[in-house]
């Protein structure tokens, strides 16, 4: 049997059954027949662990005020072209209500990074308000960046059950090249341990297709997910933003887009093949590269989507990268669109379910702790 066939067979047999070199082979596949074989195997595992259904998280983009200055991100502090906004409590609740009305069962609250007592209290208030809405309690994921240990504990106590903090890249030198001084890979890494210790279903992820990033780096990223025993993975291809140091002057050609999409999908498949039972998101960045990018993400092994429920009037201001889709469609339109798109690939929407990470319960059971 071919080398790739052996790798796939080993991956299907049990989780974490591949060497770094084998993972590298998976993330680098580029011939159609090889790509097909890898995606089919990853999709089979997705169906084995999650069924033919996709869990939804209504995404609330709470605000784009950010203290960080990441060289790739459109809402970085130094980008003066951004109109900054911060949704008031009532609007956060209205967006959450919309997610509940659409029967998504789960909500993500995301924003730029702010560390202050005022912000901490505001998020606590939003969490309590959301959990008191009819249809709750909801699975609520926070994606609010690096915080002090005590802040993570307070938000957990106020009703959050999951936290997503992408490491962005497991390669520290590459991380240093993409961030200004004062942004610390070590702090971010430590935050992931603290989140786990607080009892969150803990998610991380990376951007793929970064300048200077190799297949070996990407394989190390997949190993990193295993090493920190992540329950959820949210990753996506890097897409240049013209108002950022890493995006200025970048030529987004059809070839570039095709390559970014392929690598992003390969990463989903490699992660599913290595980790088996984690939740993996088909992120919006994939859809920026191809109209059916998220469905391709599901067919590559993802089982979660994050449709936007933020009022359309704010969406253009939350531009992390260029060409973000669906900035002019309201949430109800997204719901119908997603349902049809998923039906076309033989998948249903997991309406009304929290869609928790199976891995989280497995690791809690193994540790003898209560989920
Ligand atoms: N402030 C939060 C989350 C907001 S940013 C935090 O720090 O975790 C959400 C994610 O968008 C980032 O983690 C990053 O991986 C992604 N992102 C930012 N700029 C991007 C770009 N140009 N292309 C693709 N993804 C990008």
């Amino acid at each position: 049997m071919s080398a790739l066939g052996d790798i796939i067979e080993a991956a299907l047999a049990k989780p974490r059954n591949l060497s770094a070199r084998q993972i590298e082979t998976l993330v680098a596949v580029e011939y159609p027949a090889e790509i097909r074989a890898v995606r089919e195997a990853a999709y089979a595992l997705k169906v084995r662990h999650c069924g033919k259904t996709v869990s939804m998280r209504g995404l609330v983009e709470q605000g784009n005020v950010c203290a960080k200055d990441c060289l790739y991100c459109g809402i970085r502090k130094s980008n003066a072209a951004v109109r900054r906004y911060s949704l008031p409590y009532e609007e956060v609740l209205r967006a959450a209500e919309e997610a509940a009305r659409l029967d998504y069962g789960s909500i993500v609250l995301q924003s730029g990074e702010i560390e202050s007592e005022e912000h901490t209290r505001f998020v606590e208030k939003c969490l309590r308000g959301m959990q008191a809405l009819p249809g709750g309690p909801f699975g609520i994921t926070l994606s609010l960046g690096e915080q002090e240990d005590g802040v993570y504990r307070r938000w957990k106590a106020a009703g959050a059950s999951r936290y997503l903090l992408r490491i962005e890249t497991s390669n520290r030198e590459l991380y240093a090249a993409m961030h200004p001084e004062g942004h610390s890979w070590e702090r971010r890494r430590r935050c992931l341990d603290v989140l786990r210790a607080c009892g969150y279903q803990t998610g991380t992820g990376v951007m793929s297709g970064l300048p200077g990033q190799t297949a070996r780096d990407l394989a190390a990223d997949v190993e990193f997910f295993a090493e920190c025993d992540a329950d959820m993975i949210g990753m996506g291809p890097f897409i240049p933003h013209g108002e950022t140091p890493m995006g200025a002057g970048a030529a987004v050609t059809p070839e570039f887009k095709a390559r970014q999409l392929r690598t992003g999908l390969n990463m989903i498949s490699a992660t599913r093949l290595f980790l088996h039972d984690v939740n993996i998101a088909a992120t919006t960045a994939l859809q920026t590269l191809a109209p059916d990018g998220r469905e391709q993400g599901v067919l590559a092994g993802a089982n979660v989507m994050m449709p936007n429920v933020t009022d359309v009037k704010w969406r253009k201001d939350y531009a992390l990268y260029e060409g973000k889709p669906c900035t002019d469609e309201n949430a109800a339109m997204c719901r119908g669109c997603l349902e049809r798109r998923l039906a076309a690939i033989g998948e249903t929407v997991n309406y009304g379910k929290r869609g928790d990470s199976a891995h989280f319960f497995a690791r809690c059971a193994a540790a003898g702790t209560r989920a």
Side-chain angles (χ1 to χ4, degrees):
M1 193 191 279
S2 73
L4 187 64
D6 290 344
I7 294 173
I8 290 172
E9 196 177 303
L12 288 171
K14 57 179 192 226
R16 304 186 183 203
N17 198 30
L18 300 171
S19 68
R21 282 305 301 272
Q22 289 176 315
I23 302 172
E24 195 180 326
T25 301
L26 292 176
V27 301
V29 287
E30 51 183 16
Y31 297 110
E34 292 183 340
I35 290 176
R36 206 173 315 123
V38 170
R39 301 229 173 120
E40 275 173 17
Y43 183 66
L45 276 181
K46 179 264 182 209
V47 173
R48 193 196 292 175
H49 289 281
C50 319
K52 288 193 94 167
T53 188
V54 176
S55 295
M56 298 290 158
R57 283 84 178 88
L59 174 63
V60 184
E61 294 167 337
Q62 188 271 323
N64 62 4
V65 179
C66 193
K68 287 278 184 98
D69 221 6
C70 310
L71 303 183
Y72 45 86
C73 184
I75 63 167
R76 66 197 299 265
K77 185 171 73 178
S78 300
N79 183 4
V82 178
R83 186 176 60 151
R84 302 287 167 177
Y85 75 91
S86 182
L87 293 190
Y89 174 75
E90 292 71 28
E91 291 219 30
V92 172
L93 269 263
R94 200 174 316 139
E97 255 165 4
E98 182 68 1
R101 196 179 65 78
L102 298 173
D103 209 14
Y104 285 158
S106 186
I107 298 164
V108 177
L109 195 62
Q110 188 175 79
S111 80
E113 205 159 296
I114 303 170
E115 289 188 67
S116 72
E117 177 58 28
E118 189 192 353
H119 181 63
T120 303
R121 282 220 187 106
F122 174 78
V123 173
E124 283 179 316
K125 185 175 167 195
C126 290
L127 286 166
R128 296 212 169 91
M130 288 194 279
Q131 291 297 28
L133 288 173
F138 304 97
I140 303 183
T141 308
L142 298 179
S143 177
L144 305 172
E146 294 160 39
Q147 302 286 341
E148 295 295 325
D149 303 7
V151 174
Y152 289 145
R153 276 196 291 274
R154 281 168 62 182
W155 288 344
K156 180 82 178 37
S161 47
R162 312 168 180 148
Y163 206 103
L164 183 63
L165 184 74
R166 291 186 181 181
I167 194 72
E168 311 299 359
T169 172
S170 62
N171 179 330
R172 291 169 207 217
E173 284 95 68
L174 187 55
Y175 186 92
M178 303 194 307
H179 295 90
E181 215 137 304
H183 291 39
S184 158
W185 187 94
E186 281 72 21
R187 182 182 189 215
R188 218 164 166 82
R189 173 71 190 85
R190 185 182 168 277
C191 283
L192 289 170
D193 287 338
V194 175
L195 288 163
R196 258 175 69 104
C198 290
Y200 284 96
Q201 292 179 48
T202 305
T204 189
V206 295
M207 285 179 288
S208 55
L210 289 161
Q213 191 181 43
T214 63
R216 184 179 287 190
D217 289 327
L218 291 170
D221 289 341
V222 176
E223 290 193 300
F224 174 88
F225 304 154
E227 177 216 309
C228 63
D229 209 9
D231 304 305
M232 329 182 289
I233 307 294
M235 56 189 168
F238 162 65
I239 300 170
H241 186 296
E243 304 284 341
T244 64
M246 275 169 65
V252 181
T253 60
E255 294 74 35
F256 174 81
K257 283 176 130 182
R259 195 170 60 239
Q260 293 303 82
L261 181 63
R262 188 186 66 222
T263 308
L265 295 169
N266 285 355
M267 277 297 279
I268 290 177
S269 292
T271 302
R272 176 65 69 199
L273 285 164
F274 194 54
L275 296 180
H276 285 209
D277 62 353
V278 293
N279 275 349
I280 304 179
T283 54
T284 314
L286 293 171
Q287 197 189 351
T288 308
L289 298 171
D292 65 344
R294 284 183 302 181
E295 296 87 277
Q296 290 195 50
V298 171
L299 292 173
N303 69 309
V304 168
M305 285 190 188
M306 294 162 58
N308 206 326
V309 292
T310 319
D311 193 312
V312 284
K313 71 174 183 271
W314 307 108
R315 293 212 202 155
K316 287 200 171 45
D317 299 319
Y318 200 81
L320 306 171
Y321 45 81
E322 246 143 81
K324 212 172 139 212
C326 303
T327 51
D328 51 6
E329 277 172 32
N330 68 35
M333 285 160 77
C334 277
R335 183 191 202 254
C337 170
L338 271 176
E339 195 175 304
R340 274 192 306 281
R341 284 168 172 275
L342 287 174
I345 58 166
E347 291 269 333
T348 60
V349 175
N350 200 12
Y351 283 124
K353 303 277 171 42
R354 291 173 50 140
D356 287 307
S357 162
H359 184 75
F360 175 73
F361 293 108
R363 80 171 160 84
C364 290
T369 52
R370 209 164 52 86

